Amino acid sequence: MTENQSNKYFAVMLVDDNEIDNLINQKMIEAANITEHIYTHTGARSAIEFLKNLEQLESVAENVLPEIIFLDIDMPLMDGFQFLDEFEKLSDVTRKKCNIVMLTSSINPQDVNKSKKYMYVKKYINKPLSQKNLETLKI
């Protein structure tokens, strides 16, 4: 839980290979007015590289890392679960700051169960992101 009562986050990140989903979700996040910055990635590998690069900026990393990462499962090259495996290798600062929300069209119960095995996954939401999802986020 953040101490920030207004549900405002400095930054959130969208990781989804579908650019249209990213655009829709970005618009929903903007409309909900929950963050100052939205980082968008169409690949899990580029998202991991982005987080690694932020870690290099030690003095500001904690301030610019996204508090919430909305992560799709079904992506080419590196899927959401492979992202989570890589995420676990990142620094303590990154792992403590970034909360992961699985945002997926998968209704496969195995995916839901698998996501629960990762301690950094705080929620599992089905696409598309809705105002209600964002209002009740509370991470």
Side-chain angles (χ1 to χ4, degrees):
M1 264 324 223
T2 57
E3 274 126 57
N4 203 338
Q5 296 304 312
S6 65
N7 257 0
K8 278 268 192 181
Y9 306 101
F10 171 77
V12 301
M13 185 158 87
L14 292 166
V15 184
D16 193 325
D17 62 310
N18 186 322
E19 290 186 36
I20 292 164
D21 285 353
N22 272 338
L23 185 65
I24 292 166
N25 292 330
Q26 185 174 337
K27 294 292 178 210
M28 292 303 285
I29 291 165
E30 286 168 2
N33 200 25
I34 61 164
T35 186
E36 299 296 315
H37 305 277
I38 302 169
Y39 309 135
T40 308
H41 291 271
T42 52
R45 194 169 307 287
S46 74
I48 286 287
E49 291 306 317
F50 177 76
L51 293 171
K52 283 182 182 172
N53 289 337
L54 287 182
E55 286 181 346
Q56 302 308 308
L57 311 166
E58 286 170 19
S59 60
V60 296
E62 202 166 354
N63 298 327
V64 293
L65 283 164
E67 285 103 323
I68 300 177
I69 299 172
F70 291 103
L71 179 64
D72 187 25
I73 292 175
D74 191 20
M75 295 182 282
L77 304 173
M78 178 189 274
D79 70 19
F81 294 117
Q82 290 167 311
F83 173 94
L84 290 169
D85 293 337
E86 289 300 310
F87 182 83
E88 290 187 338
K89 299 174 191 169
L90 297 175
S91 74
D92 285 349
V93 170
T94 303
R95 292 193 325 265
K96 282 189 182 105
K97 176 87 185 248
C98 303
N99 297 289
I100 297 173
V101 175
M102 303 307 279
L103 179 61
T104 178
S105 52
S106 171
I107 52 169
N108 184 337
Q110 286 178 307
D111 285 342
V112 178
N113 289 336
K114 190 173 180 183
S115 72
K116 287 179 180 162
K117 293 184 177 128
Y118 294 90
M119 65 182 282
Y120 305 105
V121 174
K122 306 300 182 196
K123 262 190 167 175
Y124 192 100
I125 299 173
N126 285 98
K127 286 182 187 176
L129 203 49
S130 69
Q131 289 302 120
K132 189 174 188 307
N133 290 146
L134 291 168
E135 286 163 14
T136 59
L137 206 52
K138 292 187 180 56
I139 291 177

